[in-house]
Amino acid sequence: MKPLILITNDDGYQSQGLRHLVEVASAFGDIVVMAPERNSSGLSTSITTSRPLRVRSVEMAGGSGYACDGTPVDCVKMGVEHFCPRCPDLVLSGINYGSNASINVIYSGTIGAVLEACLCGFPAIGFSVLSHSPETDFTPCTPTIRHILEQFFLHPLPGGSALNVNIPRLPADQIKGIRVCRQAKAAWVDSLERRTDPIGRPYWWMTGKFVCDNPPHDTDQYFLSQGYVSVVPIRPDFTDTQALQNILYFEK
Amino acid sequence: MKPLILITNDDGYQSQGLRHLVEVASAFGDIVVMAPERNSSGLSTSITTSRPLRVRSVEMAGGSGYACDGTPVDCVKMGVEHFCPRCPDLVLSGINYGSNASINVIYSGTIGAVLEACLCGFPAIGFSVLSHSPETDFTPCTPTIRHILEQFFLHPLPGGSALNVNIPRLPADQIKGIRVCRQAKAAWVDSLERRTDPIGRPYWWMTGKFVCDNPPHDTDQYFLSQGYVSVVPIRPDFTDTQALQNILYFEK
């Protein structure tokens, strides 16, 4: 039996990034797509508890396609529990428009889906390309995705393991290689812009400037700046293990 | 000048848990509350990018009160950038109705706010009590919160550090103590319940059963089951540092 690959994203089922990922992954197994109805960027690992969810079939070249009116995490739960004909061997998310390197991972619906797959016990990989343009050409991502999937099927990650893969916006022959690395520290500054509406009341738009000066040479942000693909192993655990021994004064 | 404490939550500005936290914390500094207009449970670290945000003043005994129509993360950004008279010395979130121990941390808007405060460079603490009842009495939480704040002001955490504090639902004199520990692994199973609407179409409600059998004795889930308060140091970094050396076959 061929491997089963569940694919989702946060840009919505109509995204060209999703469709490119389906096309490349369909050479490796049977594909089920369960993706959000609408753009769900910035939804992180959020879940929908205040209303019920609906699912409908959608056209999807290369696999079975479904759209769900929930978050990326909802899509993973829905796909795994109700629409996959068997347990997935791998869950993929993307290809996202825009970087999910460094702290962007915290807000990302693409990576939210990846972390949910981990919690469900399945290995998962999120792919993002460093371009927000609607005209993004995903073809240069193909060799990277193919290499990562080949390596995954040679050495399957244990369930609950995941990768956050970011691909620079470069022609395929200018991508220098692939580097395994850690998440860089960074900041978003001036993230809310104040404006005034026509009757004089204030409102604020989310915006901001990403600041990551001189990232250390073992981080995703550094390797991306040098023309490499970054691969960060991630897991759904926030424990700051280094801090555990330093804060025992909170005990009583 | 007194310390400035920014307080938010995910249950909304009207929550009794929030109001209890403000009451206890107001003995330690000046308080600014920027909390969601509505219940925002399960919103994790999501941000609002598709529409602008509004803020209004609300009554808040013990501090300056504002409600924002965004997520808990939006509230932290809004409070820090536009409504705090100076940089906060500490950001608090809660008291949440229900556990944010183990993997619940991943979905939690309460902890989403804490992680955002870390990313903004401020120390932060999230408080949750293991009760979903609207009649929850928060009084037994007071000695725990007071002790944690006393210790924080004696040994301030560096900016970017955070604590996830969970308090068992017990009378204060039955809480055995406070333990620093790590996040337990667990699973939510059968998380989407299928129903049929009056015209025969399916829909799904988020539900599920939390499964965490025999948690290791150094985890939050274990200590809570034994009647202790759990304190998990957390940080906004998903890197699986142990995996870094094991997946170098993805490089090329």
Side-chain angles (χ1 to χ4, degrees):
Chain A
M1 198 179 287
K2 287 166 85 175
L4 184 72
I5 305 175
L6 173 64
I7 305 186
T8 191
N9 74 346
D10 73 356
D11 292 318
Y13 78 96
Q14 293 182 304
S15 159
Q16 288 307 310
L18 174 78
R19 286 166 189 265
H20 189 81
L21 182 54
V22 170
E23 187 186 324
V24 179
S26 61
F28 293 85
D30 295 330
I31 307 291
V32 174
V33 172
M34 175 69 70
E37 280 279 2
R38 284 169 292 275
N39 188 313
S40 304
S41 298
L43 288 195
S44 180
T45 37
S46 60
I47 53 176
T48 303
T49 57
S50 59
R51 59 173 176 84
L53 298 168
R54 299 276 192 175
V55 175
R56 67 188 179 95
S57 294
V58 295
E59 173 280 326
M60 188 63 61
S64 307
Y66 304 95
C68 171
D69 63 351
T71 68
V73 165
D74 297 338
C75 287
V76 171
K77 290 181 187 284
M78 188 70 80
V80 165
E81 291 186 19
H82 296 283
F83 288 83
C84 284
R86 54 191 187 277
C87 278
D89 298 279
L90 174 61
V91 178
L92 300 179
S93 184
I95 305 169
N96 186 64
Y97 287 83
S99 173
N100 279 318
S102 180
I103 61 168
N104 296 302
V105 72
I106 299 289
Y107 308 110
S108 166
T110 305
I111 301 302
V114 166
L115 294 168
E116 176 60 29
C118 284
L119 291 175
C120 293
F122 305 113
I125 307 174
F127 291 101
S128 308
V129 64
L130 274 59
S131 167
H132 282 283
S133 164
E135 274 81 50
T136 300
D137 174 16
F138 291 97
T139 317
C141 301
T142 303
T144 294
I145 297 169
R146 203 172 276 149
H147 171 80
I148 300 238
L149 293 181
E150 282 166 359
Q151 292 302 311
F152 172 81
F153 284 107
L154 283 173
H155 323 268
L157 294 168
S161 300
L163 304 178
N164 177 19
V165 179
N166 282 273
I167 303 172
R169 186 188 188 178
L170 290 171
D173 61 1
Q174 290 180 31
I175 293 178
K176 285 195 194 153
I178 301 177
R179 289 293 177 272
V180 171
C181 50
R182 68 181 171 90
Q183 178 186 322
K185 290 196 166 100
W188 279 96
V189 298
D190 300 330
S191 54
L192 288 166
E193 182 182 310
R194 189 183 191 277
R195 298 189 182 183
T196 306
D197 72 13
I199 55 171
R201 298 173 306 188
Y203 64 98
W204 288 264
W205 277 108
M206 187 72 65
T207 171
K209 191 171 147 241
F210 181 73
V211 179
C212 182
D213 295 330
N214 303 314
H217 290 194
D218 59 345
T219 62
D220 51 4
Q221 211 58 31
Y222 173 77
F223 283 117
L224 289 164
S225 73
Q226 301 297 307
Y228 290 90
V229 171
S230 66
V231 174
V232 177
I234 59 175
R235 71 212 175 328
D237 188 336
F238 286 119
T239 309
D240 184 351
T241 47
Q242 293 187 316
L244 279 168
Q245 295 308 312
N246 301 334
I247 60 162
L248 293 175
Y249 50 82
F250 284 110
E251 295 200 344
K252 78 168 182 181
Chain B
M1 198 179 290
K2 287 166 86 175
L4 184 72
I5 306 176
L6 172 65
I7 306 187
T8 190
N9 74 347
D10 74 355
D11 291 318
Y13 79 96
Q14 293 182 303
S15 159
Q16 288 307 311
L18 174 78
R19 285 163 190 267
H20 189 82
L21 182 55
V22 169
E23 187 187 324
V24 179
S26 61
F28 293 85
D30 295 330
I31 308 291
V32 174
V33 172
M34 175 68 70
E37 280 279 2
R38 284 170 293 275
N39 188 314
S40 303
S41 297
L43 288 196
S44 180
T45 37
S46 60
I47 52 175
T48 303
T49 57
S50 59
R51 59 171 176 82
L53 298 168
R54 299 275 192 176
V55 175
R56 67 186 179 95
S57 294
V58 295
E59 173 282 325
M60 188 62 59
S64 308
Y66 303 95
C68 170
D69 63 351
T71 68
V73 166
D74 297 338
C75 287
V76 171
K77 290 180 187 284
M78 188 70 80
V80 166
E81 292 186 19
H82 295 283
F83 287 83
C84 284
R86 53 192 188 274
C87 276
D89 296 280
L90 174 62
V91 178
L92 300 178
S93 185
I95 305 170
N96 187 63
Y97 287 83
S99 173
N100 280 319
S102 181
I103 62 168
N104 297 302
V105 72
I106 299 290
Y107 308 111
S108 165
T110 305
I111 301 301
V114 167
L115 294 169
E116 176 60 30
C118 284
L119 291 176
C120 292
F122 305 112
I125 307 173
F127 292 101
S128 308
V129 64
L130 273 59
S131 166
H132 282 282
S133 164
E135 274 82 52
T136 300
D137 174 16
F138 291 97
T139 316
C141 301
T142 302
T144 294
I145 297 170
R146 204 171 276 150
H147 172 79
I148 301 243
L149 293 181
E150 282 165 1
Q151 292 302 312
F152 171 81
F153 284 107
L154 283 174
H155 323 269
L157 294 168
S161 300
L163 304 178
N164 177 19
V165 179
N166 281 272
I167 303 171
R169 187 188 186 176
L170 291 171
D173 61 359
Q174 289 179 34
I175 293 179
K176 284 196 196 151
I178 301 178
R179 288 293 178 270
V180 172
C181 50
R182 68 181 171 91
Q183 179 187 323
K185 290 195 165 99
W188 279 96
V189 298
D190 301 332
S191 52
L192 288 166
E193 183 181 311
R194 188 182 190 279
R195 297 188 182 182
T196 306
D197 73 13
I199 56 171
R201 297 173 308 187
Y203 64 98
W204 287 263
W205 277 108
M206 187 71 65
T207 171
K209 192 170 146 242
F210 181 74
V211 180
C212 183
D213 295 330
N214 303 313
H217 291 194
D218 59 346
T219 62
D220 50 5
Q221 211 58 32
Y222 173 76
F223 283 115
L224 288 163
S225 73
Q226 301 298 306
Y228 290 90
V229 171
S230 66
V231 175
V232 178
I234 59 175
R235 74 217 173 324
D237 187 337
F238 285 120
T239 309
D240 183 353
T241 48
Q242 294 186 314
L244 279 168
Q245 294 308 311
N246 300 335
I247 60 162
L248 293 175
Y249 50 82
F250 284 112
E251 295 201 343
K252 80 169 180 182

